[in-house]
Amino acid sequence: MDNRHSKRHSGRKNFFKKKSFIFLVGIIIGFAVFIGMYQTSVYFSTDESCMICHVHPHVEDSWRQSVHMNNKSGTKTSCVACHLPPQTNTWKHYTAKAKLGIKDVWSYMFKDSASYDWENKSQLENAIKYIPNESCVACHYNLFPQGITDDGITAHLYYEENVEKLDLQCISCHLDVGHYNPNYSHAKMTGIPGLNIGAADNRPVFETATEVTSFADHTEQIPGTPVSFKMVAIPGGTFRMGSTPKEPFHKADEAPVRNVTLSPFFMAEVEVTWEQYWAFYANTMSEGRTHPDEVYRRNADPSVDGVSGPTPPFGFPDQGWGGGDRPAITMTHYTAETFCQWLSLKTGKTYRLPTEAECEYAARGGTETPYFFEGSPKKYSKDGFWRRFIDPSTDVISDYVIYAANSRNKTQEPSAVQANPFGLKNMAGNVMEYCADKYDPEAYSKTPENVTDPLVTTGTEWVVRGGNYTSDAADLRSAARGQTQHDAWLKTDPQQPKSIWWYSDIRGIGFRVVCEPDASINVY
């Protein structure tokens, strides 16, 4: 009995030993096969491997003479970097490699290369099929390098703003960069609205600014461009600026409440749009990457009839969300001030950034509640214990505000919201807006209880108002204050010196303009 049990136990033990051995061998073989396939895949991604099958008479010579190989940077671009989707999309990359590999091997083995119409195959219509546009974008994340011409800058900007409408790929304009062709050239991109690059824009170019003879809403037109925008007449008055501790989500820098009296002013209906901004950019862009000291000197010189505007950005400042009527973003406070300086020179009026008091007054639209629309911040905010179990309401607020709950994590066009009682849009949400004031957390306590047209001129950072598309409803209250974070917003800027025009680490920042009424206009 014991002997039979011992034999069965020994048999099971040997069985498991065999199974374990087979399993171990299987793992080793599988690992070896994986390594072999990987090494094979790597080999068939090398330039030498590509040359085995590609028998185009001058493919190798033209490739080695191209700017992707024969350049001053020392960076060499391999065949697969252009002809396959980026490896970050692993499945798409390897399936494309398999399809092209099979086709190449078949052609190499069974077709006569002498019968190919090589000239026709080198044309754009054929090249587009073998150059994934995402591969171009993956390599060229900075489309505004040192030395790029003004035409190159504006063409790239126009392409980014109109990529879907144009239905073009990078290769459409850069057919010779991968394989050198001394006879290739492409025409200038023309007809760029607002950028003064061509004459294909059918809108009339304004010769003069709008003549304003009364204190009323009007449409301003920018001379020398087809661009115009609406200005709203904001009546002067007295309001209670700030909030009390009784207001939900009240913060200390919003107190004490003051009685503020403001003079009448004109304010833009919406934030400065990309169309307006690119008109400014094209009209004032600095040569190359002009040193900040030189820019400051030029713009501070009253004898200079004009301004120096932004240098090329590092990448697309619109984040790929689109331009047109969307608010212009990622510019610095200095850029916003320079825009106002340029606009004043173009129109003969006094344009500037709004003061913090003007921003809150305009945002309230004559109301004294947390928002200019109905509802408590507690109703709309996601903050608080009960919000772990019950979602905040989005009714009402979503009609007036672009914020975290409805923005889809990007800015939206002004048409997405309704105006406030003054007729202004996006005074809360969409993008934070620069003010003319320096930020001081104790600014309210340092001034009298009753004050007229206040402006804070001391401090390090600037006031921003309104919250943006990532903000919670609590930060969209009319009294809520914010400030710039200059160093943090430039942290990843690779340029030295860092840009005075563009921020690299903030997306939801923009601005709107106000205009001071001419002294001859009756504002009461």
Side-chain angles (χ1 to χ4, degrees), residues 212-260:
V212 180
T213 58
S214 63
F215 189 66
D217 297 357
H218 61 276
T219 299
E220 180 66 281
Q221 51 196 35
I222 306 177
T225 79
V227 180
S228 61
F229 56 96
K230 184 177 180 180
M231 295 295 291
V232 178
I234 308 297
T238 300
F239 77 109
R240 291 177 60 77
M241 182 175 180
S243 68
T244 68
K246 293 182 179 180
E247 182 167 303
F249 303 105
H250 160 87
K251 294 181 180 178
D253 66 351
E254 301 166 14
V257 173
R258 300 175 298 167
N259 297 312
V260 177

Side-chain angles (χ1 to χ4, degrees), residues 30 61 153-154 158 189 204 261 294 320 329 332:
D61 290 339
I153 295 167
T154 48
Y158 183 60
M189 196 174 285
T261 300
E294 175 64 14
I329 55 175
T332 65

